[in-house]
Amino acid sequence: MRVDPNMVPDMLAAIQQSELSLQTALQQVSTGKSVTIPSDNPAAEANMVQNTIETANVDQYTQNVSSVLSTVQTADSALSAVVTSLTQAVSLGTEGANETNSAANQQAIATQVQGILSSVVSLANSSCQGSYVFGGTASTTQPYTADSSSASGYAYKGNDDVNSVQVGDQLSVQSNLPGSQIFSNSSNNVLGSLSSLVTALQSGSTSAISTAINAVSSALGYVTQQRVVYGNAESQLNAQETYLQQETVNLSSQATSLVGVDMAKAATTLSQAETDNNAALAAAAKVVPNSLLNYLSTPN
């Protein structure tokens, strides 16, 4: 009996093909990707390179938004507390201007305002994630320190610059205002007006107290205006955060469409590949030995 001499090579080819299909199915299930090397789908791989770049940019912008949003919220919260403190100072000053107050009472009120001044200085030195928010771009330097030679009793150690953070391809957001603009500018000096109110209350001069109250009131209105900058920044950042979240979803969906696989379909394909491979191996185990034996035992 003579057998088909092509049976063994054909059988081995079938096994190799089933093994290849099985490995491909296993790889797709384990990676979730239909493209693992450029040659699998050159066009899809090229688009994935751009997708990866854009995804990295969006991830960085998202991190920037989160970081700067924390800074903006910290600064705005500090200024909100400053507004409350200045409002209290105006109220105390008005109380101290009452001519019926005794000297002791005025001194007590002066001490309270001095406490408010110290509190506002502490707020001016607010920090977020290890950086001072009112120091300009000198974020590692404490903005205000005690200085007896200064009229307000404090000196500004930051600079007059502002920080801007990129949160989009064409979008940067200002993340701070320097303390010199908010707390110690020449027109509305928050620290100076509080210090003057303390001095006026200590002197007991009604006219001096009245003048100091007006200065503190002016500073109060000014700080309220400055908060608008942070309010606008926060609105921009919240809107950009929403956009970036959607962009992340879009890029992920695009990546899936380019190189992803339908996991349910991939699992079915894997199961079928395993069945086909087992069948090929089982057939080879039965056919190949018998074919070889028959071939060797049959005379020419």
Side-chain angles (χ1 to χ4, degrees), residues 90-284:
V90 170
S91 178
L92 288 170
T94 301
E95 181 183 344
N98 192 323
E99 294 181 351
T100 61
N101 280 308
S102 65
N105 285 339
Q106 285 185 321
Q107 292 301 314
I109 294 172
T111 298
Q112 287 181 273
V113 176
Q114 180 64 55
I116 290 175
L117 172 58
S118 297
S119 176
V120 170
V121 170
S122 179
L123 291 168
N125 287 330
S126 295
S127 63
C128 179
Q129 300 174 349
S131 297
Y132 292 102
V133 298
F134 297 119
T137 56
S139 58
T140 60
T141 301
Q142 180 173 297
Y144 286 94
T145 58
D147 184 356
S148 59
S149 65
S150 171
S152 67
Y154 296 92
Y156 181 63
K157 300 298 184 180
N159 59 40
D160 299 331
D161 301 325
V162 298
N163 291 306
S164 292
V165 179
Q166 189 171 4
V167 295
D169 290 340
Q170 304 295 328
L171 178 62
S172 293
V173 175
Q174 181 178 326
S175 62
N176 74 318
L177 292 172
S180 56
Q181 177 177 329
I182 301 175
F183 300 99
S184 52
N185 71 74
S186 57
S187 300
N188 288 281
N189 194 319
V190 173
L191 302 185
S193 64
L194 286 172
S195 180
S196 294
L197 181 56
V198 172
T199 301
L201 287 166
Q202 290 173 336
S203 71
S205 169
T206 302
S207 60
I209 294 173
S210 179
T211 298
I213 290 173
N214 289 335
V216 174
S217 296
S218 178
L220 170 59
Y222 177 74
V223 172
T224 300
Q225 292 175 353
Q226 298 306 294
R227 289 189 64 192
V228 172
V229 174
Y230 289 103
N232 290 338
E234 187 169 355
S235 294
Q236 276 187 296
L237 291 168
N238 285 329
Q240 184 65 2
E241 184 175 46
T242 299
Y243 166 77
L244 291 172
Q245 288 172 346
Q246 184 58 53
E247 192 67 6
T248 297
V249 172
N250 293 340
L251 288 168
S252 177
S253 177
Q254 182 188 54
T256 298
S257 67
L258 288 171
V259 300
V261 296
D262 182 328
M263 292 305 294
K265 183 178 180 180
T268 300
T269 300
L270 174 59
S271 178
Q272 185 60 52
E274 290 174 336
T275 299
D276 293 344
N277 182 249
N278 289 334
L281 291 174

